[in-house]
Amino acid sequence: MSRHRIANTVGLVLATLVCWLYGLHLYHAANRPLYSDVKLPSIEPVSPHSTEHTMDPVLSDSNDGILTFVHASDLHISKYVATGGLVHFQHFLHTAVPLVSPRLVVVTGDLTDGKDKQKLISQQQLEEWQAYKRALSQTDYVQRFNGTFYRDQRGNHDCFNVFSQASSENYFGMYSAVGDSSGYMLRIDEPFGTYSFVASDGCPRHGFARPLNFFGYLDARDMQLLESRLEEARGSSHVFMLNHYPVSTMVYGKYRKEFGELVRQVSVFLCGHLHELVGGIGAQLQAYKAREGYWELEIGDMKEHAVYRVYAVDHDIVSFVDVHLPLPQIPMPNPELLDVRVEAPVPHPPVVLVTNPKDARYLLPKHEPLERIRESTFIRMLVWTDQPVASVQVQIDGQVHPHPAVFRGTERQVGSSANETVKTPLWVAPWDPELYNDGTVHELQVVATDAAGKTTTSRTPFVIGQTLVPLQNDARGGWIMQQSFSSMFQTSACVSYILMTLCLLVVPRVYFATLPNFSSWLSERSVLHHKDMAYIRHLYTLCCNADSAVAKVKLGLAMLAARAKFLVWTQFTAQVYLASVPWLFWPGYFFAMGMCILPLFTGRLIPSARGSDAVGSVYAYGIYISHEWSPLLDSWTYALASIVSLAVLLVYLPVAVASPSMFYAPRAKRPWYRTVTVRVLVVLFVLVYLGAPTLMTAYTYGWVSIVFGYGRGWLFVVSCLALYVVDWRMPVSLSNTTAA
């Protein structure tokens, strides 16, 4: 090997290592805000709350020991969308909330839609926030119970294009019920227990314009605040944590403790954000986090599905039921948009929530006194109706329960005004739980009918014990809720990037540099490939002529193994050949290194911000804006898309630029990968996977994102040029080709 080749090889390896080391430095810099080595303002420590409570531990026919609250999310009040949204929310306020009359109502973000008419550009719409506040002002919910009845928080749509919490575009501070963008800590003291609600704000510190605003994070400062609030909640009967984003879509930093350690005192994590996804894969976005011991329960959106969730904590056993607003059509047409007015409630069928025995799919063994179910003397159920109850029928395992249900409900005055009451419409029926203490799953059915003939049927699987019945919802959202997309995307991006760089660029280039005679090596490889192809055809002939099924299977497997070997070695030959074509290899190497050390693109990421604060750079590891890093997971998805695009091109271009006779014996028919169909498909891949996102980025963040789009705009332009030259300008020889 000549000195020149040695110098080039050493230089290539050193340049790669230097770029990777600098990329590692950028990774640590981007993630530094997540950890507590940054200087943080001190927060006064709060002593854990403790209060003496009295409650009969037996689940009898007493109507005490019950706390109820309602959860809704993703209102998406829009000035442009003529269905759902505001009209659903107003029906929720005027029908659902008065019907249930709970102690608390919580809304976990995306109060407004925050998009333009074309649904492409995001911006905070003042009229949407005014409509939200106007809808609340038509009720006394914000003031009820001394301001502790209605609580809201931000979602990603509420911080679209909002530079900071102090920004004038942060309308949440002016038009929401809570006003504090950082979340809240609400403690409800009842004679029978203390229940804490801790809401954290997962929105980025800088609210980027969409689409760079899907994932959330809590940095070290946020984690310090969360840790302080959870410390204040210590000693509560139950702690409910609220965030707009599910845990799987969050990146959690660390102050003194990891999130997994902090959340061990949480019973239920309430969230929204994912709506119900598409195709049924998000129909039941719920998961039990066994290691930490809490349930994560995402709720469908109010925007299109008009769903809300009623919780009841009965003697510290948590139950819930999902309810859809009884509207004539869902989503309900709203041609009046923000001018819609709903004041009268609509007829609502009974809402039935069984609290004892509890649904065995949602047990909380680490937080609930489940032995109370076994020691209970009555079946307990809450039945909310807007008409007098006509009947409540109970069946167990299809058999009519021998004891009729009787009403033991109450309406408890909490505040000073007449409507500051909490309804506890308790129905009970005597039972002996030992009759069902056989380790099997039983079903309790409750049919409630009101005086108007409206009927609701509730079915509750239960067991007497502490064994959870599998929810079996992996295909409907459970798998999604159990994942850590932060780890998934970062690992996928890093592994795919390293494999792409080493296998498709660096190793073939180093191998090429070590060859004393590249032309001779290429000829030798061509002969070997021809022999391998001939062997594959021979196996195919034997397989077709085999007499027994066993022989066909064996020959078929041998043929597949030979084909796999052929594809691997021909691809390696093509990659080494690419290393000998400077005008293709070096641009590919530049983009591979650029993804590691350069921004994927730079643009006006927060158009509403002033001056240079609007401009930011999207690296693979995070977003750099206003002289600080935002470790947003969205950047990793952008990086992964660019890596996959470059990898596909680096696999296709070498075999496209090489002569087909290098791999196949000369014949008249061109190989499958050089047909017009394949070439068109590759062009479509580049246009759809790179071109469309590039144009969307330019439309959203300005055309500067193409000029400085090293990992996106530039990659798209160079890919188009390379494909044009290789596929449409260079002649595809037919004399040296063969069928695959």
Side-chain angles (χ1 to χ4, degrees), residues 63 112 249 268 297 401 414 491 510 538 541 572 633:
N63 59 25
T112 64
T249 64
V268 182
L297 301 174
H401 191 58
V414 175
T491 302
V510 171
H538 176 65
T541 302
F572 178 74
L633 190 58

Side-chain angles (χ1 to χ4, degrees), residues 529-593:
H529 295 327
H530 294 170
K531 289 182 178 179
D532 289 342
M533 195 67 220
Y535 178 61
I536 292 171
R537 289 199 181 96
H538 176 65
L539 290 175
Y540 178 76
T541 302
L542 292 176
C543 183
C544 291
N545 297 328
D547 295 331
S548 66
V550 175
K552 285 182 179 291
V553 171
K554 289 182 178 180
L555 289 169
L557 292 175
M559 186 175 63
L560 289 176
R563 170 66 78 171
K565 175 188 172 185
F566 174 79
L567 292 176
V568 170
W569 282 110
T570 52
Q571 189 66 50
F572 178 74
T573 301
Q575 297 305 140
V576 176
Y577 182 77
L578 176 71
S580 70
V581 185
W583 67 274
L584 277 177
F585 175 82
W586 290 111
Y589 180 78
F590 165 78
F591 282 113
M593 295 301 103

Side-chain angles (χ1 to χ4, degrees), residues 73 96 141 182 252 310 367 384 476 540 559 564 597 609 695 726 740:
S73 190
Y141 297 162
S182 68
Y252 285 98
V310 182
H367 296 283
W384 291 275
R476 293 175 291 119
Y540 178 76
M559 186 175 63
I597 63 174
L695 292 177
V726 171

Side-chain angles (χ1 to χ4, degrees), residues 601-606 614-618 625 697 701-702 704-705 708:
F601 65 89
T602 297
R604 292 182 59 83
L605 305 183
I606 308 178
V615 180
S617 297
V618 180
I625 188 169
T697 301
Y701 304 123
V704 68
S705 63
F708 296 101

Side-chain angles (χ1 to χ4, degrees), residues 16 19-20 497 500-502 505-506 585-598 621 643 646 650 710 715:
T16 303
C19 288
W20 285 5
Y497 172 78
M500 175 192 71
T501 305
L502 291 178
L505 292 169
V506 175
F585 175 82
W586 290 111
Y589 180 78
F590 165 78
F591 282 113
M593 295 301 103
M595 289 178 188
C596 184
I597 63 174
L598 296 175
Y621 324 102
I643 291 167
L646 182 58
L650 289 176
Y710 309 107
L715 180 60

Side-chain angles (χ1 to χ4, degrees), residues 91-102 141 144 345 384 423:
H91 278 292
F92 170 72
L93 295 178
H94 294 283
T95 297
V97 175
L99 173 72
V100 179
S101 190
Y141 297 162
R144 188 178 291 187
W384 291 275
K423 293 179 183 177

Side-chain angles (χ1 to χ4, degrees), residues 314-360:
D314 187 0
H315 288 70
D316 289 338
I317 295 176
V318 183
S319 304
F320 68 91
V321 61
D322 286 356
V323 186
H324 287 85
L325 291 171
L327 303 176
Q329 182 180 342
I330 295 179
M332 188 172 181
N334 180 23
E336 297 174 308
L337 297 173
L338 300 183
D339 294 325
V340 64
R341 292 289 186 274
V342 174
E343 296 181 357
V346 296
H348 201 302
V351 174
V352 179
L353 175 54
V354 175
T355 63
N356 183 61
K358 179 180 175 176
D359 191 325

